[in-house]
Amino acid sequence: MAGPVVWAIVISFSNSALTGRFAKDPEWVGLDNYTRLLADPAFPLSLLLTIAFVIGSAIIGQNLLGLGLALLFGRVNRTTRALVSTAVVAAWVLPEIVAAFAAYAYFADDGTLNQLLAGLGIDGPNWLFEYPMLAVVLANVWRGTAFSMLVYEAALGDVPPEISEAATVDGASGMQRLVWVTLPMIRGAIATNLMLITLQTLAVFTLIWVMTKGGPGVASTTLPIFAYQEAFKFQAIGYGSAIAVVMIVIGAAFSIAYIRALRPEAQR
């Protein structure tokens, strides 16, 4: 794992290209790629879209929906639990390219969603053109919620039932038991899950590329799309690697925050 990361960092300080003279003999340019990146008007938008995508589809979407489903499974019968689990996990086990095409077919202008809305007498918008980020966020939530659901289902299974029963006897409501008993006891699982799904979502490429290719314009160009376009469409490998290094730094920042959240749990 370290080899490609180190190599990407080294290349980011060069003008390495996919074709031409600098493909064979790249030159050391120091911080030029990074100063160019900071001056690039497309970078702030791409960074903002990436953060919004991670927060919307991972930290809020997958995390909360996965926790909600895991809590729900403790209150429903086995048949309902099996049906819901199968439906949710099916999206997760699909190959990423297949899931991406399925999401595209669902949100396309003449896709499944608009056909369902038409059956209700509603003229649906062109989701991939008018609301591209909303479409890819929802698609990624659908694709990845199963992981969070399984993590929280396992964590909740380790919570001693007598503790919750004691809180009930003391007069705690369902919400109070969740906030003051259940969530603190699965704090480690929450931090671990958030770290994993954040890093997974930060690197999502295929889903967005198949659905929107970063468009329309740059309306859904997250950092992985931005890096790919610069490195392979415009053949600037060094510049694209600089964008990739920024992604590594962002992922490291999230990881450090989550690891620090885990420390009090580890010391107990």
Side-chain angles (χ1 to χ4, degrees), residues 87 90-116 127-128 135-136 138-140 142-143 206-212:
W92 186 45
V93 299
L94 283 174
E96 188 175 8
I97 187 68
V98 176
F101 276 113
Y104 174 82
Y106 185 78
F107 286 103
D109 189 28
D110 57 348
T112 306
L113 178 56
N114 279 348
Q115 290 184 19
L116 292 173
W127 298 96
L128 299 178
V136 295
L138 293 176
N140 196 54
W142 163 74
R143 167 92 168 115
T206 304
L207 186 72
I208 300 176
W209 185 255
V210 170
M211 291 181 67
T212 67

Side-chain angles (χ1 to χ4, degrees), residues 175-190:
M175 182 57 67
Q176 289 174 327
R177 292 198 304 272
L178 174 63
V179 174
W180 300 110
V181 178
T182 304
L183 293 184
M185 295 195 71
I186 64 170
R187 179 179 178 177
I190 293 174

Side-chain angles (χ1 to χ4, degrees), residues 45 49 128-129 132 212-222 225 229 233:
L45 177 59
L49 291 174
L128 299 178
F129 184 82
T212 67
K213 288 191 175 181
V218 293
S220 59
T221 300
T222 57
I225 303 295
Q229 290 177 331
K233 181 178 180 181

Side-chain angles (χ1 to χ4, degrees), residues 221-232 236 239-241 243-244 247:
T221 300
T222 57
L223 287 177
I225 303 295
F226 188 29
Y228 174 83
Q229 290 177 331
E230 292 296 335
F232 298 103
Y239 188 52
S241 297
I243 301 171
M247 291 172 55

Side-chain angles (χ1 to χ4, degrees), residues 4-256:
V5 173
V6 173
W7 186 242
I9 294 174
V10 172
I11 291 179
S12 72
F13 293 103
S14 74
N15 60 0
S16 178
L18 194 62
T19 60
R21 179 166 64 93
F22 296 124
K24 181 179 180 182
D25 298 308
E27 297 175 351
W28 185 265
V29 297
L31 295 174
D32 286 359
N33 286 326
Y34 293 96
T35 55
R36 174 187 169 188
L37 182 61
L38 293 176
D40 193 333
F43 174 66
L45 177 59
S46 182
L47 179 61
L48 181 63
L49 291 174
T50 302
I51 294 174
F53 181 64
V54 170
I55 293 175
S57 67
I59 298 176
I60 296 177
Q62 295 178 30
N63 184 56
L64 292 184
L65 184 57
L67 177 60
L69 288 170
L71 290 169
L72 178 66
F73 288 160
R75 298 176 176 271
V76 297
N77 57 52
R78 289 185 177 180
T79 302
T80 303
R81 178 177 177 175
L83 290 174
V84 175
S85 295
T86 301
V88 175
V89 173
W92 186 45
V93 299
L94 283 174
E96 188 175 8
I97 187 68
V98 176
F101 276 113
Y104 174 82
Y106 185 78
F107 286 103
D109 189 28
D110 57 348
T112 306
L113 178 56
N114 279 348
Q115 290 184 19
L116 292 173
L117 292 175
L120 299 174
I122 301 174
D123 187 15
N126 187 338
W127 298 96
L128 299 178
F129 184 82
E130 298 180 35
Y131 307 103
M133 281 306 298
L134 176 61
V136 295
V137 164
L138 293 176
N140 196 54
V141 171
W142 163 74
R143 167 92 168 115
T145 294
F147 181 82
S148 296
M149 180 190 74
L150 294 173
V151 169
Y152 288 134
E153 190 175 4
L156 290 172
D158 291 335
V159 176
E162 56 269 18
I163 296 179
S164 182
E165 292 170 0
T168 303
V169 172
D170 289 339
S173 65
M175 182 57 67
Q176 289 174 327
R177 292 198 304 272
L178 174 63
V179 174
W180 300 110
V181 178
T182 304
L183 293 184
M185 295 195 71
I186 64 170
R187 179 179 178 177
I190 293 174
T192 301
N193 178 67
L194 282 171
M195 180 172 65
L196 293 175
I197 63 174
T198 295
L199 295 179
Q200 291 169 355
T201 302
L202 184 63
V204 168
F205 171 81
T206 304
L207 186 72
I208 300 176
W209 185 255
V210 170
M211 291 181 67
T212 67
K213 288 191 175 181
V218 293
S220 59
T221 300
T222 57
L223 287 177
I225 303 295
F226 188 29
Y228 174 83
Q229 290 177 331
E230 292 296 335
F232 298 103
K233 181 178 180 181
F234 302 115
Q235 304 178 358
I237 297 295
Y239 188 52
S241 297
I243 301 171
V245 171
V246 171
M247 291 172 55
I248 294 174
V249 172
I250 295 173
F254 275 110
S255 297
I256 291 171

